[in-house]
Amino acid sequence: MSLTRRDFTRLAAMSALTAATSGATVLGAPSAALAANTAYVFAYFTETPNQSGANYGLHLAVSTDGLNWRPLNQNNPVVTPTAGTLGLRDPFVLRKQDGTFVVLATDLNGTDFGQNNQYLHVWDSVDLRSFTGYRRVRMHGLATHTWAPTAFWVASRNQYAIVYSANNGTDVFMVNYTSDFRTVSANEVYFSPGFGVLDGDVVVDGSTFYLYFKNLSNGLVYGARSSTGAANSYTTYTSGLRQGSQMEAPLLIKNNSGNEWRLWGDSFSPVNNDYYAWTTSNVGANSWTALNQRDFTPPLNAKHGSIVGITGAEYDGLVTRWGLPNWVRLKSYNLPDRYVRHADNIGRIDPYPFDPYQDQLWRMVAGLADSAGVSFESVNYPGRYLRHSNYAVRLDANDGTATFRADATFTRVAGLGNSAWSSFRSYNFPDRYLRHFNYLLRIDPLSSSSSTTDREDATFRVS
């Protein structure tokens, strides 16, 4: 029997899977298992502030660094529930002990949070390129919801635990145990600290179980830990964390190299759909550092998801099966919450998220005046391009003239403010670069001797 690179990778990972898995990767396993994972996949659903970008199917994005994400399938769902409410929220992907995956999700299509539902959506998947065995699993008989599942292996029980948010008079976490994600034990209270909690995520690292959750009484994210993972055995050990305003859906992951932890959370107020992240080298030390939004780019319109480590072969297989975006976004370097967009035919940068969200999507095509350069065609207004006119940048229809083609063509170069990013030099005014000023786009003369602010204004991440 001949073995492929993928076979060797999977066998190595499976032989080392002796401890729990959750969200990010294999945890508590020998370093060989961690080394087998060289990339990541993010599962999520989508919403935008006015819900025009809402889609309650399973979406996937991939990343090689776990920070900057590329949606698959043009950010369309890869699978959608066919029973229950016909929609999902809060998808959670777990790599099981046999190396395959299971997907769990809240059975809720939309935002009717007063709806009672005792079920979770469940799929099996060998490689996240196809999804089989779809079913709904009943978790309890209570008149309440079953939200935000997380799952992990409990070696002492030789079973998986499924933890989720419910209400038995107060907001608590419930748990059911299972061997096959088809039949489950009776539900029991897993975590009820004396105040309402929501959106738990459990990760097992060695002999320690970490539970991160939202405290409903103050809107902050906290971490608790346990040496056994048993119900009601957790002690809170962190200070409250928050970026932005109202946060939810904490997501704890350990990176593939095993030397860093990240904690993600997304906001729902005052603006829905904005992700934040923290990092630490010691998850047990209450020492989280907020990441600058310059350092990460979430999947477009992503809400409440999960992340799992994958091998290089699995990454390649996902890209082959689902495809990468045929559009790009341009993130501002010095105002990294803002993206290049058009509004009323004016080029500008605005804080993400916004609607119409398609205003920030561009087809970066061969330059209209010179194929060695680039031009930016609007996705939602095909045939219209970013071009300069009297040095101001507009979105205009291509009129076929040589002047228009030249005005809409730029040369991509190393970023003036950071060489790992990009700057765009005007084709027909080569001393001038695309930059923002008072949030509006224009082309201005710039060079290495320009001020730091001016050079950073002209620097963008193509994502």
Side-chain angles (χ1 to χ4, degrees), residues 410-426:
F410 302 87
T411 300
R412 183 178 181 179
V413 299
L416 299 179
N418 184 320
S419 61
W421 291 46
S422 297
S423 292
F424 297 92
R425 188 174 67 234
S426 168

Side-chain angles (χ1 to χ4, degrees), residues 234-316:
Y234 286 85
T235 301
T236 300
Y237 74 97
T238 71
S239 306
L241 295 168
R242 181 170 63 200
Q243 296 184 59
S245 181
Q246 295 294 316
M247 298 201 69
E248 59 187 3
L251 166 58
L252 178 67
I253 63 172
K254 191 176 188 179
N255 71 0
N256 284 333
S257 63
N259 59 8
E260 182 185 6
W261 291 77
R262 296 173 189 141
L263 178 66
W264 297 78
D266 72 73
S267 69
F268 66 92
S269 176
V271 178
N272 187 33
N273 206 74
D274 199 6
Y275 259 99
Y276 297 92
W278 295 263
T279 184
T280 186
S281 59
N282 185 351
V283 70
N286 187 25
S287 59
W288 289 101
T289 300
L291 285 174
N292 190 307
Q293 286 182 292
R294 180 184 296 165
D295 298 326
F296 61 91
T297 306
L300 178 66
N301 301 335
K303 283 287 293 180
H304 195 150
S306 63
I307 301 171
V308 63
I310 56 175
T311 67
E314 289 168 333
Y315 177 96
D316 294 342

Side-chain angles (χ1 to χ4, degrees), residues 8-295:
F8 280 115
T9 300
R10 176 157 288 176
L11 287 171
M14 289 173 61
S15 67
L17 289 176
T18 58
T21 67
S22 180
T25 184
V26 180
L27 301 177
S31 59
L34 291 170
N37 289 327
T38 59
Y40 307 82
V41 62
F42 197 139
Y44 55 98
F45 69 101
T46 63
E47 286 183 340
T48 58
N50 72 6
Q51 295 296 91
S52 65
N55 186 288
Y56 300 100
L58 176 66
H59 295 68
L60 298 177
V62 290
S63 172
T64 56
D65 64 6
L67 293 169
N68 296 287
W69 299 90
R70 296 193 288 179
L72 298 174
N73 201 33
Q74 305 306 316
N75 212 31
N76 295 313
V78 298
V79 71
T80 302
T82 56
T85 65
L86 305 180
L88 64 78
R89 297 178 69 97
D90 322 323
F92 182 85
V93 178
L94 171 72
R95 192 190 288 275
K96 298 190 298 181
Q97 296 295 94
D98 63 2
T100 66
F101 300 93
V102 65
V103 180
L104 312 172
T106 301
D107 183 6
L108 178 58
N109 189 353
T111 58
D112 181 5
F113 301 121
Q115 206 177 104
N116 291 333
N117 194 318
Q118 295 82 35
Y119 291 83
L120 292 175
H121 297 299
V122 184
W123 289 267
D124 302 307
S125 182
V126 172
D127 50 19
L128 302 180
R129 296 191 297 173
S130 62
F131 300 86
T132 60
Y134 170 69
R135 64 255 186 209
R136 293 166 72 230
V137 176
R138 193 178 193 211
M139 306 303 291
H140 57 80
L142 302 173
T144 185
H145 49 259
T146 310
W147 290 347
T150 185
F152 51 97
W153 177 250
V154 183
S156 63
R157 300 180 63 108
N158 201 35
Q159 286 184 304
Y160 300 95
I162 306 173
V163 172
Y164 52 92
S165 296
N167 186 295
N168 64 350
T170 188
D171 289 289
V172 302
F173 296 145
M174 293 285 186
V175 65
N176 302 65
Y177 296 95
T178 184
S179 300
D180 57 8
F181 292 95
R182 293 181 177 274
T183 59
V184 298
S185 66
N187 63 288
E188 58 183 286
V189 174
Y190 189 70
F191 185 65
S192 181
F195 49 82
V197 292
L198 190 68
D199 295 345
D201 189 33
V202 179
V203 174
V204 189
D205 186 40
S207 61
T208 304
F209 294 72
Y210 292 99
L211 166 62
Y212 274 69
F213 60 92
K214 176 180 179 178
N215 179 337
L216 286 171
S217 68
N218 62 15
L220 302 179
V221 169
Y222 291 85
R225 59 189 169 196
S226 165
S227 60
T228 65
N232 302 306
S233 66
Y234 286 85
T235 301
T236 300
Y237 74 97
T238 71
S239 306
L241 295 168
R242 181 170 63 200
Q243 296 184 59
S245 181
Q246 295 294 316
M247 298 201 69
E248 59 187 3
L251 166 58
L252 178 67
I253 63 172
K254 191 176 188 179
N255 71 0
N256 284 333
S257 63
N259 59 8
E260 182 185 6
W261 291 77
R262 296 173 189 141
L263 178 66
W264 297 78
D266 72 73
S267 69
F268 66 92
S269 176
V271 178
N272 187 33
N273 206 74
D274 199 6
Y275 259 99
Y276 297 92
W278 295 263
T279 184
T280 186
S281 59
N282 185 351
V283 70
N286 187 25
S287 59
W288 289 101
T289 300
L291 285 174
N292 190 307
Q293 286 182 292
R294 180 184 296 165
D295 298 326

Side-chain angles (χ1 to χ4, degrees), residues 300 325-331 339-343 345-349 354 357-365 375-382 384-387 393-396 434 441 461-463:
L300 178 66
N326 57 18
W327 38 262
V328 300
R329 303 161 71 200
L330 299 178
K331 174 190 279 193
Y339 287 78
V340 170
R341 69 171 296 185
H342 62 84
N345 297 321
I346 301 300
R348 56 180 296 117
I349 60 169
F354 50 73
Y357 72 89
Q358 298 93 336
D359 289 355
Q360 66 186 305
L361 304 183
W362 306 97
R363 300 200 195 282
M364 194 166 69
V365 300
S375 294
F376 296 99
E377 182 183 14
S378 169
V379 164
N380 54 347
Y381 289 90
R384 292 178 176 265
Y385 295 80
L386 285 181
R387 57 88 56 96
V393 173
R394 298 179 41 81
L395 183 76
D396 283 340
L434 181 70
L441 294 178
R461 179 189 289 281
V462 180
S463 63

